[in-house]
Amino acid sequence: MYLISACLAGINCKYNGRNNLEPKIVKLIEEKKAILVCPEQLGGLTTPRLPSEIIYDENGNRKVVNIEGKDLTKEFLKGAEETLKIAKLTGAKEAILKAKSPSCGKGKIYDGQFKKILVEGNGITTDLLEKYGIKVYTEEDDIENLK
Ligand code: SF4
């Protein structure tokens, strides 16, 4: 069983009200191995919503802010916790999440300037899932042969 970013399955939960449909995951959905989650919606954010990115303050603390500078860290953390809860309830040990997202990204995310500049790092949900031993892939990984 895989947790999968709902936007990758064609659900219009992306910040702009659209989706990121990814053909590579269709097989897992057809085989009923997919549990769709959108951490940002689970955190209580609306769709559509303004885009958000992760920044670090002068003390090195991680925050999530939207493009107007509003601090949404609490909502992103709640979304991560709810996603983890779903993983525990369903026994999902692996996840396929949307690359570069401030919630779902893995390895590379945007740097907080809203200029499409990538830096090393994980989204808030990815970090929490990995902390609890859940293996996270993105759609950019070689996931075609996952069973
Ligand atoms: Fe997709 Fe994750 Fe963003 Fe939701 S939070 S729209 S699942 S990338």
Side-chain angles (χ1 to χ4, degrees):
M1 200 60 84
Y2 295 86
L3 289 185
I4 294 184
S5 289
C7 59
L8 292 176
I11 304 300
N12 291 333
C13 54
K14 197 175 162 180
Y15 73 90
N16 59 9
R18 298 186 188 160
N19 66 72
N20 300 302
L21 182 61
E22 172 52 62
K24 286 186 200 173
I25 61 149
V26 170
K27 187 164 85 64
L28 292 172
I29 294 173
E30 285 174 353
E31 291 171 352
K32 303 196 183 342
K33 292 178 179 166
I35 298 155
L36 305 184
V37 290
C38 175
E40 289 173 30
Q41 289 189 339
L42 287 166
L45 296 174
T46 57
T47 305
R49 55 192 171 274
L50 293 172
S52 296
E53 294 190 3
I54 294 175
I55 60 169
Y56 288 85
D57 67 17
E58 61 280 3
N59 300 317
N61 297 317
R62 186 170 64 165
K63 297 201 304 183
V64 189
V65 294
N66 72 18
I67 196 165
E68 291 181 345
K70 184 173 180 194
D71 188 342
L72 296 173
T73 308
K74 209 169 14 158
E75 287 83 353
F76 274 69
L77 288 171
K78 179 169 188 282
E81 292 286 352
E82 294 299 305
T83 302
L84 176 63
K85 209 187 281 179
I86 292 170
K88 287 180 176 171
L89 284 169
T90 59
K93 298 275 187 284
E94 295 173 278
I96 303 168
L97 303 183
K98 174 73 186 77
K100 302 173 195 143
S101 150
S103 292
C104 297
K106 179 178 177 190
K108 283 181 184 163
I109 52 169
Y110 294 117
D111 74 346
Q113 297 189 74
F114 296 91
K115 291 180 179 169
K116 299 280 179 206
I117 299 169
L118 290 169
V119 290
E120 279 185 24
N122 289 336
I124 304 288
T125 294
T126 298
D127 259 354
L128 187 67
L129 293 180
E130 287 198 325
K131 188 170 155 198
Y132 281 83
I134 294 165
K135 168 91 181 145
V136 177
Y137 304 91
T138 77
E139 79 283 8
E140 294 181 348
D141 291 323
D142 184 15
I143 56 169
E144 284 92 341
N145 298 319
L146 289 178
K147 293 196 171 133

